[in-house]
């Protein structure tokens, strides 16, 4: 149960089992995104803040809602102050590596 005064940081795993995103051999973007999301949400936050997984129970959807739409829909009921969506994109450049992080800030109006 989320306490009323808790500010939430929404985090979403990009893609799903049915829409795995970029695939290279047996490596699927969704699996990398999920592993990173799980590691991040294990990190402690300062008092008064908590993680909120916006992708809970949607791993088997073909096209889970993009984070910004999910946050906008639930923000009136929850105190979401920031949001993050995790992606690992594929490119042909072997020098490129890392994750793409898409964020939303409560102080910036969504378009």
């Amino acid at each position: 149960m989320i306490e009323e005064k808790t500010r939430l940081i929404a985090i979403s795993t990009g893609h799903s089992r049915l829409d795995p995103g970029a695939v290279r051999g047996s490596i699927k973007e969704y699996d990398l995104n999920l592993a990173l999301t799980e590691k991040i949400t294990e990190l402690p936050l300062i008092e008064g803040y908590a993680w909120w997984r916006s992708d809970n129970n949607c791993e088997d959807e073909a096209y889970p809602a993009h984070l910004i739409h999910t946050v906008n829909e639930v923000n009136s009921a929850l105190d979401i102050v920031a949001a993050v969506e995790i992606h690992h994109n594929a490119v042909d450049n072997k020098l490129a590596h890392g994750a793409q992080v898409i964020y939303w800030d409560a102080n910036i109006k969504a378009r």
Side-chain angles (χ1 to χ4, degrees):
M1 184 77 179
I2 298 170
E3 291 184 30
E4 196 171 317
K5 294 181 182 177
T6 302
R7 292 182 172 150
L8 301 176
I9 299 175
I11 186 165
S12 177
T13 302
H15 297 287
S16 69
R17 285 190 201 112
L18 297 178
D19 172 22
V23 177
R24 184 171 190 148
S26 63
I27 300 171
K28 296 176 183 153
E29 179 183 359
Y30 171 72
D31 294 333
L32 297 174
N33 297 345
L34 181 61
L36 184 54
T37 300
E38 289 174 347
K39 288 285 187 193
I40 290 170
T41 55
E42 290 173 3
L43 297 171
L45 292 170
I46 60 174
E47 188 175 334
Y49 289 83
W51 292 112
W52 179 71
R53 291 282 303 271
S54 66
D55 57 351
N56 279 343
N57 302 317
C58 71
E59 294 92 355
D60 292 323
E61 293 182 18
Y63 302 102
H66 288 286
L67 180 63
I68 189 66
H69 301 297
T70 304
V71 169
N72 283 336
E73 288 174 13
V74 301
N75 200 32
S76 59
L78 302 173
D79 187 12
I80 297 173
V81 296
V84 178
E85 184 168 295
I86 305 298
H87 284 274
H88 291 76
N89 294 319
V91 295
D92 290 331
N93 184 339
K94 293 183 186 214
L95 297 176
H97 57 305
Q100 176 187 22
V101 178
I102 301 167
Y103 71 93
W104 174 87
D105 184 323
N107 296 314
I108 299 172
K109 293 202 181 250
R111 295 177 188 191

